[in-house]
Amino acid sequence: MNVAVLRFPGSNCDQDALCSLREDIGVGAQYVWHEEDALAGFDAVFVPGGFTYGDYLRCGAIASRSPIMDAVRRFAADGRPVIGVCNGFQVLCEAGLLPGALMQNASQKFVCDHIWLTVANRSSYWTRHVDRVLRIPIAHGEGRYVADEETLRRVEDEGRVAFRYSGPNGERDPRFNPNGSMDDIAGLVNEAGNVLGMMPHPERATKAILGGEDGRLILAGLSLVGA
Amino acid sequence: MPKVRVYVTLKPSLLDSAGRTVRDSLDKLGFHEVASVRVGKLIELEVEQFSEGRVKEMCDKLLANPVIENYRFEEAE
């Protein structure tokens, strides 16, 4: 398993992702610059967080039009695993790989916290090992998931919501939703279930010293592919 | 060289956090008559020649996100 960790101007969670994947998940990981146009030799793609292109125009908008994203589209269409975290989630939405968009938090504040995440559908590549409520860090100013009514209904009906913000026992309540996301959506997958976008940072929760290891349950699938 | 003004606005159904903050600030300055503020973007282009079709393509491909935004544009002197 060799994971491509994409790097754009303004990515800043790329080192976290690389370390987490190599040291804690135990898979190979290499940086791939946004001007590359191929992903030969890679088995998965990690689109890290950050502030690509200074969030100019819209978060993730410019990065999503980079040459590497055409390669990611082909890669995803082949059914291979792609994960986008935080700004990476915004990039995947802007690239059209996931429906909807991420807007400024309803609170108008940047939130940096640990939240509870409840898995909404365990049948996707990324959620199949998640067997309990997770404690995962968030750090974002624009994480409010929005979609038009029809899209939201489709995403819900097709079981494509991967994670929802919740209480420690999976209870849903607006006070557990840190950004005002519709339907408490924290992460969702594409139709085939191989592309996941999520605002919380699983790669920041794979070592006890970081305050928790729950992120492993999401990234664990990577170490099992090809095994 | 012809200029084009592209106006990008948030869809009316969506909460505009920036607009709400500006409204609150205006209210604090004594402008209590302001019921609502929506903040949008003005993007000015200089093009070799104006083509409605090309500008529409630019809007659809990059300048606006149809999920959350509407746009309109005009040729300006």
Side-chain angles (χ1 to χ4, degrees), chain A residues 71-138:
Chain A
V72 172
R73 259 186 221 101
R74 293 192 295 272
F75 193 86
D78 287 344
R80 288 186 281 180
V82 176
I83 181 172
V85 170
C86 203
N87 187 223
F89 184 14
Q90 295 162 344
V91 170
L92 293 180
C93 285
E94 279 283 347
L97 281 161
L98 292 170
L102 294 141
M103 298 185 62
Q104 192 181 31
N105 298 343
S107 66
Q108 302 155 51
K109 289 180 182 143
F110 190 96
V111 284
C112 190
D113 205 351
H114 273 76
I115 46 82
W116 300 101
L117 268 192
T118 293
V119 64
N121 180 342
R122 291 194 57 203
S123 65
S124 82
Y125 176 90
W126 294 104
T127 54
R128 63 208 156 120
H129 302 292
V130 183
D131 55 2
R132 56 185 166 82
V133 177
L134 305 178
R135 187 81 168 146
I136 304 272
I138 53 166

Side-chain angles (χ1 to χ4, degrees), chain A residues 57-58 65 104 106 108, chain B residues 15 17 20-21 41 61-62:
Chain A
L57 197 62
R58 297 177 306 278
R65 275 75 173 170
Q104 192 181 31
Q108 302 155 51
Chain B
L15 168 72
S17 306
R20 198 165 69 178
T21 308
K41 287 177 205 149
K61 281 197 172 163
L62 179 66

